[in-house]
Amino acid sequence: MHCIYTHESTFDKQFQALLGRGKMDMRTVTPVVQTIIEEIQTRGDEALGEHIARFDKWQPSAPSHMRIDTNAMKEAYEALEAPLKSALHVAYERIRTYHQKQLPKSWMTYEENGTVLGQKVTAVDRAGLYIPGGKAAYPSSLLMNAIPALVAGVKEIVVCTPAPHNELNHLLLAALHLCGITHAYKVGGASAIAAMAYGTGTIPKVDVITGPGNIFVATAKKMVYGDVNIDMIAGPSEIGILADSTANPRLVAIDLLSQAEHDEMASSILITPDEALAKAVIKEIEAYLPRLSRETIARESIHKRGAFIVTRDMDEAVALMNEIAPEHLEVMTLNPFDLLPKIRHAGAIFMGHHTPEPIGDYIAGPNHTLPTGGTARFYSPLNVENFMKKSSIISMSKAGLDAIGPSCALLANCEGLTAHEASLRERLK
Amino acid sequence: MHCIYTHESTFDKQFQALLGRGKMDMRTVTPVVQTIIEEIQTRGDEALGEHIARFDKWQPSAPSHMRIDTNAMKEAYEALEAPLKSALHVAYERIRTYHQKQLPKSWMTYEENGTVLGQKVTAVDRAGLYIPGGKAAYPSSLLMNAIPALVAGVKEIVVCTPAPHNELNHLLLAALHLCGITHAYKVGGASAIAAMAYGTGTIPKVDVITGPGNIFVATAKKMVYGDVNIDMIAGPSEIGILADSTANPRLVAIDLLSQAEHDEMASSILITPDEALAKAVIKEIEAYLPRLSRETIARESIHKRGAFIVTRDMDEAVALMNEIAPEHLEVMTLNPFDLLPKIRHAGAIFMGHHTPEPIGDYIAGPNHTLPTGGTARFYSPLNVENFMKKSSIISMSKAGLDAIGPSCALLANCEGLTAHEASLRERLK
């Protein structure tokens, strides 16, 4: 680990590599995923059973055994110790409160002549949430995916999560109960995405699929996109930190590590005009690494994919961070709100020294499902609108049609569409 | 052409076929499109020149010759006859006014303890609009794609449109001038999508690509999705009409034909409880067909893909239409607003006898880029938010962190993420 400097001639090349971080090459897994999808499409539950045996090492004796028992959810919830139950409830309420503020409203406008235009917003009928399982079983992912769907008003929510050896994380079960999920299935990977996209005897076809996953899940989501909607295609997690000399190097170090511990492929990027800070952070990281339970992962991640960039000034730091467009951005400066107007691209922005990124992973309120790999340039955090869609409303009055119909007929005529023109002229007679 | 009846035993099967309308099988074109994309990625402008020679039958002598001259746009605009120029302006203003109402607002909320949460909405840096050319050169497509991007505040808008034999539609040129587009290129098909997704020497890489196109364009959009955002994957156009005995059969017939004339693959579907109306509509269609300039296309479309469904009552008609989830829905009934709450899935809803679908294609204000093939169950009409994205904002006060930090640390611990936990605990000391 060492600093890199924007004033050095080699900087551009090093920075280009950072911009290419997290790119997934789906080509090698595409044929595998294609086969999985086709098997689910043609043989439904039967294929699901085979995939579960192959990937999760257990065999459902009947399709109905893929379904997660709601009693098991309730028992897990009731068995929670009080502090943990309370923590889940605090998270649930704060996430719900935040997402309720996102709810879009239908609207209508009225013109003098009686014409009405509007936009109607409605929830999708069915949503499918994919929640990773096994070593990366994150109950928080369930809250972050289910609550926006619930707030949107989705009537039917389906959850799929893999259960290696037919075992499930008890906190995930408890979270399923808390969210009131009744349709949950022990199915994982590309098979789960295909099952929710096209339906099987047991798992209903949904309209929208959201949720994180590995490259097989991401590739399956891309392949079913268009037949259903999806939230985004996400890759490895990442953090960018903008810091000035007021930042505590130890906190910066731990926050970078909290991203690095997720995954060997995670990226942790510090950009600061303060060379002394950058060097102190590197020292703190080395000191802190042995204290982590996931030391090996964090060490590999931070050594291979960490970056410590020293800039000429803070403006240059912000400009570079906009190019990075990180999933998570911490602004650890004296006056973080001064920088906010200049920050154009980031999934979630964590302001000031009291706002560590993990507070957003669990409990602050905003969603933790965020665009990665620079896709914050065009993707939004998961939000209630991922579970809703709009319809335009047009109601012309006779006077309104008389006013603009002739212009419309002229444009239709210019495009050579005579039935379009006739549809107008017949009414203008 | 004949009526089909919901009370007949064969209905379900006939209806299932309607639900499968417009499904595109991308598998046959995928390898071709894959090759085109790889050629653009590896050889940029050189490959673009070859593709133009192959598909559009002219050879740009230099990459800069692919660019559409802004003087040509201005001249085309100035040469417009007054009524047409006025019609374009009316369309522009009404479309702009409608889309301005869609603009989302950034917001922040403040908690007692000083914690601030919010959501920042910003335009993407660069948008790419694909406008089909050749026999289907629709200047209206330019207005409908460019205006939402302009309203969203996109700084750099790139347009690609094919120019067979190096010729462009003069009304499209005029519309480019009206929209103030300066970066427009005579490039079409999958090559154009790839060029905008990955950039070439001449065409800049964009963040979002929108616009209609044939199956090659649709397949390319799906393949680049994730590297850029796209609006939707759209197939052949379609109309659904809900009508009661107050509907004029001649108008219903012409409105169905105005969809049929687009494309042999277009679907025109009437659903009504009034058998006499359905039969009268079929008669009017036969009588009107010979009067259309695009008679052959309209005839093939309406005969092969038209449907005239007679239901038991209006409730059943609405329920079936929700399953169809049509791109365009005309409600030609006595009291169309009575039905509006029951209509759950449709791209654009045209209310009452004075609201022909073509008024929405050009001039009413709402967008004409709409989800097809039943995807209105989850896609929205093209809108300003296609050109914008959100960032979450979290700013914890010390008191706010003290209040919820311990619960957050507990959840992090349960997920086995000790650096996450440490990031909190270090601040809670």
Side-chain angles (χ1 to χ4, degrees), chain A residues 120 222-223 343-344 389, chain B residues 120 222-223 343-344:
Chain A
K120 184 178 170 178
K222 177 161 175 169
M223 291 176 83
I343 296 168
R344 291 206 319 279
K389 34 70 184 186
Chain B
K120 185 178 170 179
K222 176 161 175 169
M223 292 178 83
I343 296 167
R344 293 206 318 282

Side-chain angles (χ1 to χ4, degrees), chain A residues 69 84 99 156 194 227 245 255 268 276 280 301 305 320 338 371 390 401:
Chain A
D69 181 16
L84 196 49
H99 287 81
E156 214 176 320
D227 293 331
S245 59
D255 291 1
S268 305
S301 168
R305 293 166 187 276
L320 291 176
D338 288 355
K390 294 160 185 156
L401 189 66

Side-chain angles (χ1 to χ4, degrees), chain A residues 207-220:
Chain A
D207 301 304
V208 175
I209 297 175
T210 69
N214 60 21
I215 190 166
F216 292 91
V217 169
T219 304

Side-chain angles (χ1 to χ4, degrees), chain B residues 150-172:
Chain B
L150 290 165
V151 170
V154 177
K155 290 277 186 306
E156 212 175 321
I157 298 175
V158 175
V159 169
C160 282
T161 189
H165 305 288
N166 199 14
E167 281 168 21
L168 285 168
N169 179 299
H170 75 284
L171 198 53
L172 176 60

Side-chain angles (χ1 to χ4, degrees), chain B residues 107-126:
Chain B
W107 51 264
M108 286 209 185
T109 60
Y110 302 84
E111 298 180 20
E112 287 284 323
N113 60 32
T115 292
V116 176
L117 300 179
Q119 185 174 273
K120 185 178 170 179
V121 195
T122 42
V124 300
D125 284 351
R126 270 197 289 265

Side-chain angles (χ1 to χ4, degrees), chain A residues 98 102 118-120 222-223 255 258 261 340 343-344 346 349 351 355 389 391-392 394 396 420 427, chain B residues 98 102 118-120 222-223 255 258 261 340 343-344 346 349 355 389 391-392 394 396 420 427:
Chain A
Y98 181 87
Q102 292 179 331
Q119 185 173 274
K120 184 178 170 178
K222 177 161 175 169
M223 291 176 83
D255 291 1
S258 77
E261 75 173 341
L340 192 55
I343 296 168
R344 291 206 319 279
I349 308 169
M351 308 284 288
T355 314
K389 34 70 184 186
S391 302
S392 308
I394 307 176
M396 300 298 296
H420 282 61
R427 285 170 168 90
Chain B
Y98 181 87
Q102 293 179 330
Q119 185 174 273
K120 185 178 170 179
K222 176 161 175 169
M223 292 178 83
D255 291 1
S258 77
E261 77 173 339
L340 191 54
I343 296 167
R344 293 206 318 282
I349 308 169
T355 314
K389 33 72 185 184
S391 303
S392 307
I394 308 176
M396 301 298 295
H420 282 61
R427 286 170 167 92

Side-chain angles (χ1 to χ4, degrees), chain B residues 78 89 93 99-100 176 181 207 219 231 253 257 374 386 418:
Chain B
E78 285 169 354
H89 274 271
E93 286 305 323
H99 288 81
Q100 279 172 336
L176 284 164
I181 304 293
D207 301 304
T219 303
D231 52 345
L257 286 174
N386 288 107
T418 50

